[in-house]
Amino acid sequence: MQFNFLQQASNCDFRLAWSINPAQITKILSNVKSKILDWALLLESKGILGEGLLFSQAEKREAATMTVNNINNFNGNVHNAGAIGAGNTGDIHQQNSFTSGDFNSLARQLKEHGLDDSDVTELEQLVKQTAKPTSKDEVEKGFGSWIGRITGKAFTGGLKIAGAAAPAVLTNALCHYFSIPV
């Protein structure tokens, strides 16, 4: 085995171990939670509620026709070499919700979620007055009162997103605007 060879060649007894940064594990868990939340919201928007943890036959039929999208984040240069992944079948579509740093595209996305002009204008003023956050925690602290107020609107049916999902949706949108990984 290569490990034994290294020990013998170096004439040194050592232990080989993998080291994983806890922040990476936190990021993975956060991404998994976000994907599950997005999927649950998609099911809810299609009327698939699974009351009592059971799905009706109509809900099962609706879910069978759904398209599940996988999103991968690539760091560095990405070139279209013609190969996309395992099997290479089906169509590939890309839709960017908004561009990081472009408030107009963020505003469009928020309005699609049902926010009105005054909510978006208030956020724009807050963005201009607040130091640029560098982490999700800083976004939550700097914009928490705004996120809380908008979440209240979602709980009363004033938005096109569920109240329980609103904090994550709004925080993630702001993080993407500020180019902060979520």
Side-chain angles (χ1 to χ4, degrees):
M1 204 163 133
Q2 296 153 345
F3 174 71
N4 292 333
F5 173 76
L6 289 173
Q7 280 188 331
Q8 290 172 355
S10 66
N11 199 20
C12 180
D13 188 21
F14 59 87
R15 193 181 86 174
L16 190 63
W18 288 96
S19 175
I20 299 173
N21 185 336
Q24 291 299 91
I25 294 173
T26 302
K27 182 178 178 184
I28 290 168
L29 293 175
S30 177
N31 285 339
V32 168
K33 286 192 285 187
S34 180
K35 299 287 183 201
I36 292 170
L37 175 62
D38 290 343
W39 181 59
L41 291 172
L42 178 63
L43 288 173
E44 182 183 15
S45 72
K46 294 195 175 278
I48 302 170
L49 304 175
E51 299 293 331
L53 298 179
L54 298 175
F55 295 98
S56 69
Q57 289 302 326
E59 288 175 328
K60 289 178 184 179
R61 281 191 300 275
E62 179 65 29
T65 63
M66 290 177 56
T67 300
V68 176
N69 296 309
N70 291 319
I71 299 171
N72 296 299
N73 294 319
F74 297 97
N75 296 312
N77 295 328
V78 178
H79 302 282
N80 184 1
I84 299 300
N88 291 333
T89 60
D91 296 330
I92 298 167
H93 301 280
Q94 178 178 349
Q95 179 180 353
N96 294 325
S97 299
F98 64 91
T99 305
S100 293
D102 178 16
F103 193 84
N104 289 331
S105 61
L106 172 61
R108 275 192 304 277
Q109 183 187 19
L110 294 175
K111 287 179 182 180
E112 287 174 10
H113 290 309
L115 277 76
D116 58 33
D117 289 335
S118 65
D119 296 328
V120 173
T121 301
E122 180 184 345
L123 176 61
E124 184 174 23
Q125 292 302 316
L126 194 56
V127 165
K128 289 177 182 176
Q129 296 168 0
T130 305
K132 182 181 177 192
T134 58
S135 69
K136 186 175 179 181
D137 286 340
E138 288 180 15
V139 168
E140 291 169 344
K141 289 176 187 169
F143 298 89
S145 62
W146 181 84
I147 291 170
R149 195 175 59 69
I150 301 303
T151 298
K153 284 187 172 187
F155 273 111
T156 60
L159 298 181
K160 296 177 185 175
I161 52 178
V169 170
L170 297 170
T171 301
N172 288 349
L174 284 166
C175 284
H176 287 299
Y177 171 77
F178 290 113
S179 299
I180 298 170
V182 289

